Amino acid sequence: MAVNLDKEAYYRRIKRLYGNWKKGEDEFGKVDAIVVSVGVDEEIVYAKSTAIQTWLFGYELTDTIMVFCDTKIIFLASKKKVDFLKQVAVTKGNENANGVPPITLLTREKNESNKANFDKMIEAIRGSKEGKVVGVFSKDKFPGEYMKSWNDTITAEGLEKVDISAVVAYTMAVKEDGELSLMKKAAAITSEVYSKFFKERVMEIVDADEKVRHSKLAESVEKAIEEKKYLGGADPSTVEMCYPPIIQSGGNYSLKFSVVSDKNHMHFGAITCAMGIRYKSYCSNLVRTLMVDPPQEMQDNYNFLLQVEEELLKELKHGVKICDAYNAVLEYMKKEKSELVAKLTKNLGFAMGIEFREGSLVLNSKNQYKLKKGMVLSISLGFADLVNKEAKKDEQKKYALFIGDTIQINEEDAATILTPVKKKIKNVGIFLKNDDEEDEEEDGDDAEELLGKGARSAALLADRTRNEMTAEEKRRAHQKELANHLNEEAKRRLTEQKGEQQIQKARKSNVSYKNVSQMPREKDIREMKIFIDKKYETVVMPVFGIATPFHIATIKNISMSVEGDYTYLRINFFVPGSSLGRQEGNIFPNPDATFVKEITYRASNLKAPGDTSVPSTNLQNAFRIIKEVQKRYKTREAEEKEKEGIVKQDSLVINLNRSNPKLKDLYIRPNIAQKRMQGSLEAHTNGFRFTSVRGDKVDILYNNIKHAIFQPCDGEMIIVLHFHLKNAIMFGKRRHTDVQFYTEVGEITTDLGKHQHMHDRDDLYAEQMEREMRHKLKSAFKNFIEKVETLTKEQLEFEVPFRDLGFQGAPYRSTCLLQPTSGSLVNTTEWPPFVVTLDEVELVHFERVQFHLKNFDVVIVYKDYSKKVTMINAVPVNSLDPIKEWLNSCDIKYTEGVQSLNWTKIMKTIVDDPEGFFEQGGWSFLDPESEGSGAEEDSESEMEDETFNPSASEEEEEEEDSDEDYSSETEDSNYSASVGSEEESGKDWDELEEEARRADKESHYEDEDTAAVNNSSSSNNKKRKVRPSASRSGPSKKKRRS
């Protein structure tokens, strides 16, 4: 045979088998020889005889008899199989073969009795130990004449048979690293098929209200494993189902793996799904329950089932007896929810490997076997025959909950889950409608039965239309509740914070020399020249003939100029009243002291007779050195300022295990050095470590991550893992609260000089390659994320932006796509990144919302009023409604207005007098529909305009001037008269408008009748009469008509 056999694996495993046999524990102590006979039976999927062959050789060998004696091993097989087995029979020069009994190969003779070969094997059995008892796998019964004659020979010889299935299974249960990697791959494929195919298909069925039978759905899952896209790059020929997928719903549940999916239609309640995939002969298993509109009791029971599984994982460790782990879980259930103990499945799982279910290693109350590191189990827990008290239909009354995973036993830690498919209620719950809609649907059930699906669709359509009409009203009602809650909460929070005054930090006083002895004794100082002391960062200058030291921090700037024969050096100092930069403030330790503001020195450019150098040389050198020292000092100060307020992080605990989740060939932003550098990101026990190719390291701890965001490459040129941190970290001499790791997925630049054609073969190939690369990268990143979430027990969860809810906006200089996640609003593809935590948002205000404008601005106000508000400019107006809907669903209050406000002054006013602000209505001043709107609100907005926009009054004057160009002098006089009458009469605007409207109605028809016969002057009067109706003054209309 041209097939290679893994000799090293064979020698390792045969030694383990013989080692356990020689220990003589349990059934191994009773047998003198071991006989393994495998016939041909297509119906047998799992058998211990074929499993041990696969374990030893990597293949099943049909019509082969193996006899393991104390001192030798005999194989009886066909000629081709004997040639294959010669690879391990010849042991010359192989050190690993030491201690392995020699192999004798016998060739099976077809169409003959094989009596001679059988006699040789019986003789070997008789010569092994006492030669009376043979160990066999009693459950394995293969049909055929060949197997029958061999079994008859053993019986005729009077050899006693002992079943050794359990002890051999225990020997094979501890997996080597190679086996573990195959089982992990099998578990990963199962997870992929479940997540990408089954779960998505169920969502489609529920969404479209399809009627699909359980058996048909199970068949579609079996067909899905033939498609490469669900197999994570595995060869479809190496993948098969461990058993036909089991899908159950609608009250008929049997929480076993021996049942098959029935032909009933899937019911939208509790849907259990069990599936297992076998990769290169190694099995995996996964069980999940999807719930459509689960009532609260069902959710509580499900959450408890998750807790029970968590408890079981803690108990399953190296050296623990299986029965003890089972009983510990039972005790936990009795203590927490004793009524569910009777509903629990009879066993909680079993060992798994080449065989799907190892019958001797079942997790129940009687099993005395101890767990060992490296074992792989399929755990499966469920509650059967639970009653849904809220159910109205028969198929809803009974339900079951069933979950299961493939796990690996560890030395001391809790067992590791190899199938990291999320199973929290938010991941498996499908929530469709609210209670009102349910009631309406129930009322229409009878009609549905009579009229069929068409009537139901029409009813749903009508219902949907009705809901859409009231969506805005619902939103407003909800916003009103939020407004009341917002003001109360903000008032309480600010009252608690009152008195916590921010301490302004005094500017550090830099002392040059603490005593006279430290003053330098240089020649330049004695000669009254400028001297720079680099050690103490001090400039010693002659002032009135006295050497006076000034620290470099006191110098604001320095300039040098040459005028004629002289060089001038001008030095300006920081003094009270001069600006120190935005961040430093203008604070001096002793502002009442006398300060030197400026000193100018002059030196000649002409060399006097006898001088060694030009006098101005000293000033030129001083200018150069002061600049150098100043630059060095400012750099150091900037670094210290960056480090200020940095919270000391815990040390990263390195996990030396090679199987840590790892992503290679990533770039980091911001860059560690000037040029961008590739590196790898690895997850350890308590954080991530990024290591660049140059050896630079950046550590990010899990407990310091506020938001972990995964931005897929759909519609983007890069794929990103972004970390928004709670406390800033230092690297590259700067502090950073946002760190991201990314890789490019396509050509960001395009060669325009290259001739391109739509059907160019190279271009099509490049596009195909890019698609494959995108898929590969997405799979790698998702796999990394799932492993990290499993490693951190889902304490760190990655948020994925909802692209459908995204909108364009410019938080910085350029426009980008801002996308909401479950807890934030982000853009991570552009730099700098934009991340806003929704929990920190107090309210959102929309500015410049007007009909004639194409876009508006979004202002985000934070709960911490001392924090600067965030502005997002140039948001398209068609995004307004979707943003409102999203904010409303997140319970965030929003308001809108036509003006741009001065938020710096507004926030300062609130912080200075929070009580006064909330006594006057708090944030309701932003709401156009708040009580007391109208004239009061107009005056308020005018007052704000005057306060925040000094040029507003000038603009108004210009507008009035332009209006006057189109009106006559009489209108001006009437207008001014009307303003005077308005002030005298005291009538408000609404009353005057109403009077004008009544007068219009009375005179409307008269004007129309007389218009044709009136002379030109009367028509001019009529024109004048119409004109004021567009003006702002109601009384002018009335006066002109009188």
Side-chain angles (χ1 to χ4, degrees), residues 985-998:
S985 64
K987 290 182 179 180
D988 71 3
W989 186 269
D990 293 338
E991 287 173 334
L992 293 167
E993 280 289 335
E994 188 56 42
E995 283 179 22
R997 199 177 290 113
R998 279 202 302 272

Side-chain angles (χ1 to χ4, degrees), residues 420-424 426-427 786 788-798:
V421 177
K422 292 179 182 177
K423 49 183 178 281
K424 286 185 178 177
K426 65 179 180 184
N427 306 118
E786 285 169 358
V788 169
E789 287 180 344
T790 307
L791 182 70
T792 59
K793 295 184 180 169
E794 295 191 6
Q795 286 174 352
L796 177 69
E797 281 197 34
F798 282 82

Side-chain angles (χ1 to χ4, degrees), residues 177-190:
D177 289 344
E179 293 179 287
L180 285 173
S181 64
L182 289 174
M183 296 198 79
K184 284 175 182 174
K185 180 69 176 172
I189 295 169
T190 307

Side-chain angles (χ1 to χ4, degrees), residues 255-257 285-287 304-316 321-334 340-352 356-359 361-367 371 376-384 401-407 409 415:
L255 308 186
K256 296 175 183 176
F257 297 104
N285 197 26
L286 175 72
V287 186
F304 179 64
L305 185 60
L306 293 180
Q307 289 169 21
V308 174
E309 187 190 29
E310 201 65 38
E311 199 64 28
L312 177 62
L313 290 171
K314 287 178 193 170
E315 295 295 332
L316 297 175
K321 278 188 179 179
I322 289 174
C323 57
D324 292 345
Y326 179 89
N327 291 329
V329 170
L330 226 57
E331 286 302 314
Y332 171 78
M333 282 189 66
K334 284 175 184 173
L340 289 175
V341 173
K343 309 286 185 186
L344 187 69
T345 44
K346 288 182 181 176
N347 63 63
L348 304 181
F350 41 78
M352 188 165 59
F356 173 68
R357 183 179 187 274
E358 188 42 71
L361 292 172
V362 175
L363 303 183
N364 58 28
S365 58
K366 296 173 184 175
N367 202 323
L371 295 168
V376 176
L377 310 180
S378 165
I379 58 167
S380 49
L381 313 86
F383 296 142
L401 301 172
F402 200 21
I403 57 169
D405 287 289
T406 303
I407 64 155
I409 303 298

Side-chain angles (χ1 to χ4, degrees), residues 84-151:
F84 170 69
L85 293 167
K86 276 179 185 174
Q87 294 176 72
V88 288
V90 179
T91 58
K92 282 182 184 177
N94 195 319
E95 292 177 9
N96 291 319
N98 293 340
V100 176
I103 296 172
T104 304
L105 297 174
L106 302 175
T107 307
R108 178 189 160 204
E109 297 160 9
K110 285 191 178 180
N111 305 320
E112 290 189 28
S113 62
N114 286 292
K115 190 174 186 306
N117 288 331
F118 288 169
D119 289 344
K120 285 177 187 175
M121 290 193 289
I122 294 293
E123 187 185 331
I125 292 168
R126 291 290 186 195
S128 177
K129 294 188 180 181
E130 294 181 15
K132 293 178 181 177
V133 181
V134 291
V136 295
F137 304 127
S138 56
K139 285 187 180 177
D140 295 358
K141 291 185 170 66
F142 290 91
E145 196 59 41
Y146 179 48
M147 285 294 115
K148 186 175 181 298
S149 59
W150 168 241
N151 289 327

Side-chain angles (χ1 to χ4, degrees), residues 792-859:
T792 59
K793 295 184 180 169
E794 295 191 6
Q795 286 174 352
L796 177 69
E797 281 197 34
F798 282 82
E799 302 171 27
V800 180
F802 303 116
R803 196 175 180 85
D804 295 345
L805 297 176
F807 57 91
Q808 296 290 333
Y812 303 114
R813 290 182 180 180
S814 60
T815 302
C816 57
L817 181 67
L818 301 165
Q819 303 173 73
T821 71
S822 53
S824 57
L825 177 66
V826 302
N827 171 267
T828 57
T829 51
E830 303 283 331
W831 195 263
F834 177 81
V835 182
V836 170
T837 306
L838 296 183
D839 288 343
E840 293 175 2
V841 175
E842 179 84 305
L843 68 93
V844 175
H845 180 66
F846 306 125
E847 292 184 339
R848 300 190 308 109
V849 180
Q850 297 182 48
F851 288 118
H852 62 279
L853 294 180
K854 288 183 180 177
N855 39 40
F856 63 96
D857 302 332
V858 176
V859 179

